[in-house]
């Protein structure tokens, strides 16, 4: 008995000494680092919804890219000097190739685990770009780009551009026949720049195509400059997410002035860590089971050889499609040939697309006159015009992506390539318009259906006979959570007053008013029931704070 008592006393004394040591360590660290200030971040609330994991999916695929990329740099040789292959892949034995292609074959067949890591790296790049794209769509359709998150939206678009550039650079490094064909197209795009095109091409390739310097230059961009920019912008992006707090879906107890969710530690970190393990496991499974980019099948790049059915990775397929759809337009000006069929689809079009993405938050704020802060997500159906514009953009991109493989589609389905190309040209104009109109009408129909459920209730499936002998369906009121959501959905803010002191200002005000009415289109039922919107008691959650009453950070 005495032995056990002494053991308990010794354990208590050891625990007390451990606590004192931990306290002294924390005090010493706090004197040198902001430990106490950072402790509050561990309890920061993160709203819980599956759509919020898309950004984390991009982050963790980037981590997989960095880990696998570090391993690949140990064996890859970014040189274009020719060697004679004498490795393990017998079909290419004795073939002359660049050292870059030779080292890629060595990684795939001679380095232990090299092919697995290389394919994991490629699959992770595909997931990374796709996750950023879908995350941007989520932010767009829910209005999470509005004040005060305009800067974070622009950072996200920049990350997408950098991801495209990083993917193309890595895709071109093996110097195989497929990537070499892509570089040849890139050189044609450079040459389409009026006046300066030849100089840009000579500078990039270090001479006439294919030159001797491009692979080593792309290697520096791929492993140093572009990853550094990506990591820096991701860090700024995460800091802004912490500072501005995460957006959340409207529900009872959630307003513009709070954030409801799981604490950062331990709940969010545990769930997020599980997602990272899932991403790592899925990319490992794909790398081991699903073949991607088998460069040994294509062979080394030769300037006099082009493979049929050559398709780039999907994320640059829209540029390929744009190049294939534009007719062969050329103009000779002062002895210089302007190749509109290359300049417009490969440089002007993507420039305009990304310019629209950068400017959209400010354009919507100008049209609606909305200068308030928003921390609640819009439901896409509540913003029919914005949702329609998003669907129109997706349709436009989808047609270009399909056009990037028009030769494969025509061969597979035994149809005329010319007929398919003309059909895709028409679809590029028609489908976005049809997509916008149908989506807008669908959103308005959803609003009308919700208003009907709000006023008449939900059908129970029972039919009642009236005293007069007629029949009517029985309805029950919707539950409180649904009623709250319908009555407290985000409403368009009042537009600012326009000045009539100047004719230009007056014209500008009229334009904004017309565009604002068009953008804030709502169903007739919603307009009719607007006066009953306060039935639930409180005012709409999206109007519960103003600029004079900012939400706590």
């Amino acid at each position: 008995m005495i032995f056990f008592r002494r053991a308990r006393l010794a354990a208590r004394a050891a625990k007390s000494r451990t606590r004192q040591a931990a306290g002294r360590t924390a005090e010493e660290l706090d004197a040198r680092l902001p430990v106490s200030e950072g402790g509050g971040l561990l309890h920061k609330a993160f709203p819980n919804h599956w759509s919020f994991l898309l950004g984390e999916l991009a982050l963790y695929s980037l981590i997989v890219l960095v880990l696998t990329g570090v391993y690949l740099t140990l064996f890859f040789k970014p040189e274009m000097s020719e060697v004679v292959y004498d490795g393990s892949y017998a079909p290419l034995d004795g073939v002359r190739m660049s050292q870059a292609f030779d080292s890629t074959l060595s990684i795939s067949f001679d380095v232990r685990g090299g092919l697995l890591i290389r394919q994991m790296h490629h699959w992770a790049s595909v997931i990374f770009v796709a996750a950023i794209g879908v995350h941007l769509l989520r932010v767009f359709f829910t209005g999470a780009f509005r004040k005060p998150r305009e800067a974070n939206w622009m950072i996200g678009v920049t990350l997408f551009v950098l991801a495209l550039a990083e993917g193309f650079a890595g895709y071109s490094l093996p110097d195989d026949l497929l990537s070499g064909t892509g570089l040849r197209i890139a050189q044609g795009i450079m040459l389409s720049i009026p006046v300066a095109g030849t100089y840009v091409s000579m500078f990039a390739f270090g001479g006439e195509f294919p030159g001797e310097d491009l692979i080593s230059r792309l290697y520096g961009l791929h492993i140093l400059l572009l990853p550094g920019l990506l990591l820096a912008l991701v860090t700024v992006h995460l800091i802004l997410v912490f500072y501005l707090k995460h957006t959340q879906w409207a529900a009872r107890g959630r307003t513009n002035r709070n954030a409801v969710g799981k604490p950062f530690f331990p709940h969010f970190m545990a769930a997020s860590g599980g997602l990272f393990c899932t991403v790592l496991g899925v990319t490992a499974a794909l790398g081991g089971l699903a073949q991607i980019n088998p460069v040994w099948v294509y062979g080394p790049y030769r300037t006099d050889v082009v493979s049929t059915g050559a398709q780039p990775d999907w994320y640059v397929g829209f540029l390929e499609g744009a190049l294939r759809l534009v007719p062969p337009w050329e103009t000779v000006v002062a002895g210089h040939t302007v190749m509109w069929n290359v300049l417009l689809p490969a440089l002007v079009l993507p420039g305009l697309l990304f310019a629209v993405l950068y400017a959209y938050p400010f354009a919507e704020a100008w049209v609606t006159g909305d200068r308030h802060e928003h921390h609640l997500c819009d439901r896409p159906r509540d913003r029919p015009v914005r949702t329609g514009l998003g669907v129109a953009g997706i349709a436009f991109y989808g047609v270009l992506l399909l056009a990037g493989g028009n030769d494969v589609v025509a061969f597979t389905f035994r149809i005329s390539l010319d007929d398919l190309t003309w059909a895709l040209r028409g679809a590029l104009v028609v489908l976005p318009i049809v997509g916008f109109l149908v989506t807008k009408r669908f959103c308005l129909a959803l609003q009308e259906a919700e208003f009907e459920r709000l006023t008449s209730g939900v059908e129970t499936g029972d039919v009642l006979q009236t005293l007069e002998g007629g029949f009517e369906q029985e309805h029950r009121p919707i539950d409180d959570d649904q009623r709250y959501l319908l009555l407290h959905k985000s409403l368009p803010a009042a537009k600012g007053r326009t000045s009539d002191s100047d004719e230009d200002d007056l014209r500008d005000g009229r334009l904004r008013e017309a565009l604002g009415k068009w953008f804030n289109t709502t169903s007739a039922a919603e307009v009719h029931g607007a006066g009953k919107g306060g039935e639930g008691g409180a005012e709409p959650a999206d109007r519960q704070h103003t600029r004079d009453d900012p939400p706590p950070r």
Side-chain angles (χ1 to χ4, degrees):
M1 191 69 180
I2 296 176
F3 172 76
F4 289 113
R5 184 178 299 173
R6 289 178 177 176
R8 286 197 299 270
L9 291 175
R12 291 176 182 175
K15 185 181 294 186
S16 177
R17 288 193 297 271
T18 301
R19 289 178 177 176
Q20 291 176 0
R24 288 193 298 270
T25 302
E27 290 178 359
E28 293 296 328
L29 289 175
D30 191 50
R32 297 165 175 82
L33 301 171
V35 175
S36 58
E37 289 81 355
L41 296 177
L42 298 179
H43 302 290
K44 187 176 181 64
F46 274 80
N48 185 28
H49 193 268
W50 68 266
S51 63
F52 299 153
L53 299 178
L54 296 171
E56 296 177 49
L57 184 62
L59 174 63
Y60 294 142
S61 58
L62 176 61
I63 293 176
V64 175
L65 277 170
V66 172
L67 295 177
T68 55
V70 169
Y71 183 82
L72 294 176
T73 57
L74 302 176
F75 307 99
F76 182 74
K77 299 177 182 178
E79 299 292 337
M80 296 186 70
S81 56
E82 284 194 345
V83 297
V84 178
Y85 182 70
D86 60 351
S88 301
Y89 188 65
L92 291 178
D93 191 32
V95 175
R96 299 185 64 84
M97 59 186 63
S98 65
Q99 287 195 35
F101 189 76
D102 179 78
S103 63
T104 303
L105 292 179
S106 176
I107 291 172
S108 301
F109 295 106
D110 300 320
V111 175
R112 186 178 298 274
L115 182 59
L116 173 65
I117 299 299
R118 180 175 160 268
Q119 296 200 144
M120 282 182 63
H121 189 74
H122 201 126
W123 277 115
S125 69
V126 173
I127 296 173
F128 177 57
V129 180
I132 293 179
V134 178
H135 180 57
L136 285 174
L137 288 177
R138 196 280 300 176
V139 172
F140 178 83
F141 283 118
T142 61
F145 55 80
R146 295 172 296 174
K147 185 181 178 180
R149 295 177 178 83
E150 301 95 335
N152 233 7
W153 165 263
M154 298 179 70
I155 290 175
V157 175
T158 305
L159 285 172
F160 188 65
V161 175
L162 291 175
L164 294 179
E166 176 77 336
F168 180 77
Y171 167 83
S172 304
L173 287 179
D175 197 29
D176 59 284
L177 185 58
L178 184 61
S179 65
T181 303
L183 288 175
R184 186 63 163 174
I185 295 174
Q187 191 231 5
I189 295 173
M190 296 177 192
L191 292 175
S192 71
I193 302 175
V195 182
T198 304
Y199 302 98
V200 173
S201 174
M202 295 287 284
F203 173 78
F205 290 91
E208 292 290 346
F209 181 85
E212 297 289 338
D213 302 329
L214 183 64
I215 296 298
S216 58
R217 292 176 178 179
L218 286 177
Y219 187 68
L221 290 174
H222 185 67
I223 70 168
L224 183 62
L225 180 60
L226 293 176
L229 291 175
L230 283 170
L231 293 175
L233 288 177
V234 166
T235 302
V236 176
H237 182 78
L238 294 176
I239 291 174
L240 288 177
V241 169
F242 268 83
Y243 177 70
L244 299 172
K245 78 181 182 182
H246 206 292
T247 55
Q248 58 186 346
W249 291 98
R252 187 178 296 276
R254 300 177 184 177
T255 70
N256 265 316
R257 302 179 61 187
N258 66 2
V260 180
K262 297 179 179 179
F264 180 70
F265 180 84
H267 300 81
F268 179 80
M269 289 186 64
S272 189
L275 179 61
F276 170 69
C277 294
T278 301
V279 172
L280 182 61
V282 169
T283 52
L286 288 172
L289 300 175
Q291 179 176 272
I292 187 170
N293 198 26
V295 295
W296 54 89
V297 176
Y298 311 139
Y301 179 66
R302 287 175 47 185
T303 56
D304 60 333
V305 177
V306 176
S307 61
T308 59
Q311 307 296 324
D313 275 346
W314 69 270
Y315 43 83
V316 291
F318 76 101
L319 289 178
E320 177 83 7
L323 285 168
R324 297 187 183 194
L325 289 186
V326 176
W329 295 334
E330 293 182 357
T331 303
V332 179
V333 179
H336 295 277
T337 301
V338 181
M339 301 183 296
W340 300 109
N341 56 324
V342 179
L343 180 64
L344 291 178
L347 291 175
V348 176
L349 177 63
L352 290 176
L353 288 177
F354 285 107
V356 169
L357 290 177
Y358 278 115
Y360 185 84
F362 308 99
E364 181 176 311
W366 180 83
V367 168
T368 61
D370 186 2
R371 297 294 184 267
H372 296 85
E373 291 190 6
H374 296 273
H375 301 281
L376 293 178
C377 293
D378 283 335
R379 297 186 308 166
R381 68 185 64 180
D382 296 331
R383 292 290 184 268
V385 173
R386 181 203 296 154
T387 305
L389 292 175
V391 172
I394 294 174
F396 187 82
Y397 173 84
V399 173
L400 291 180
L401 184 61
L402 180 62
N406 62 348
D407 56 337
V408 177
V409 174
F411 177 80
T412 302
F413 294 98
R414 300 294 191 273
I415 58 179
S416 169
L417 179 60
D418 290 338
D419 293 343
L420 178 61
T421 301
W422 276 104
L424 290 173
R425 288 170 179 169
L428 189 64
V429 177
V430 174
L431 279 186
I433 298 175
V434 173
F436 172 80
L437 296 176
V438 171
T439 302
K440 181 181 176 183
R441 182 61 259 176
F442 188 70
C443 292
L444 294 176
L446 289 175
Q447 291 183 21
E448 292 174 356
E450 286 183 338
F451 181 76
E452 183 178 353
R453 289 200 302 271
L454 182 63
T455 55
S456 303
V458 181
E459 297 178 2
T460 62
D462 296 332
V463 179
L464 302 178
Q465 185 175 12
T466 64
L467 295 176
E468 294 79 10
F471 295 92
E472 61 181 20
Q473 293 181 340
E474 183 181 24
H475 294 76
R476 60 173 175 80
I478 60 176
D479 57 52
D480 292 340
D481 290 338
Q482 288 183 333
R483 178 177 292 274
Y484 182 90
L485 180 62
L486 296 181
L487 290 176
H488 294 71
K489 66 184 180 181
S490 178
L491 299 175
K495 296 182 286 294
R497 291 180 298 177
T498 58
S499 172
D500 56 358
S501 59
D502 185 83
E503 185 177 351
D504 293 335
D505 291 340
L506 182 59
R507 187 181 302 109
D508 179 72
R510 289 174 179 172
L511 176 62
R512 291 180 60 184
E513 182 179 2
L515 290 175
K517 288 180 180 179
W518 171 73
F519 185 86
N520 291 321
T521 302
T522 187
S523 67
E526 292 287 328
V527 174
H528 179 71
K532 302 177 182 179
E535 246 175 4
E539 64 179 357
D542 203 42
R543 290 189 175 181
Q544 286 184 2
H545 101 90
T546 64
R547 189 185 303 176
D548 298 325
D549 183 21
R553 302 298 183 195

